[in-house]
Amino acid sequence: MKGRKASHQLAFSLALEGVDLQSLDCVAPDELALAYWTDGINALLGQRMQSKETEKDLDTLLSMEIKLRLLDAEGVNIPQDPPQIPPDPPHYHFCYDLK
């Protein structure tokens, strides 16, 4: 348990309006789950995601972008715009019976 946060440090509550419940109390199983949950809620509310995980992921993406831009010097053309999203499949029945 050394170095691990106690359950009260991994807990948060959501205050609900217009519902019979007054609050939704959540306890994350670990710090990573807490970061994901709170970042997701902040994103849904249009607020800034503040966890260390977000900062780490942003740093990773920025370093990848820099590496991709350096490829441009080797004659690889990287488009500025993302590719078009392909059309939806005709159905979503992807279950296979392996009997």
Side-chain angles (χ1 to χ4, degrees):
M1 290 283 297
K2 186 176 182 179
R4 186 172 176 181
K5 290 192 174 189
S7 62
H8 72 276
Q9 293 174 308
L10 300 173
F12 64 94
S13 295
L14 300 173
L16 306 173
E17 296 177 2
V19 183
D20 290 341
L21 293 172
Q22 291 188 359
S23 70
L24 180 63
D25 303 321
C26 304
V27 179
D30 54 34
E31 291 182 60
L32 185 61
L34 178 69
Y36 288 156
W37 290 357
T38 55
D39 283 345
I41 292 167
N42 284 332
L44 290 171
L45 294 173
Q47 298 176 356
R48 184 176 174 273
M49 296 182 280
Q50 301 178 1
S51 73
K52 288 185 258 180
E53 291 299 317
T54 298
E55 295 294 327
K56 189 170 79 171
D57 290 345
L58 184 61
D59 287 341
T60 301
L61 289 172
L62 290 175
S63 68
M64 276 197 249
E65 181 180 5
I66 290 170
K67 290 174 185 177
L68 286 173
R69 298 283 173 211
L70 289 174
L71 285 176
D72 223 4
E74 297 177 10
V76 177
N77 186 18
I78 300 172
Q80 293 293 324
D81 299 323
Q84 289 185 349
I85 298 173
D88 288 339
H91 60 79
Y92 291 94
H93 304 291
F94 300 117
C95 182
Y96 296 101
D97 188 11
L98 299 175
K99 291 182 182 179

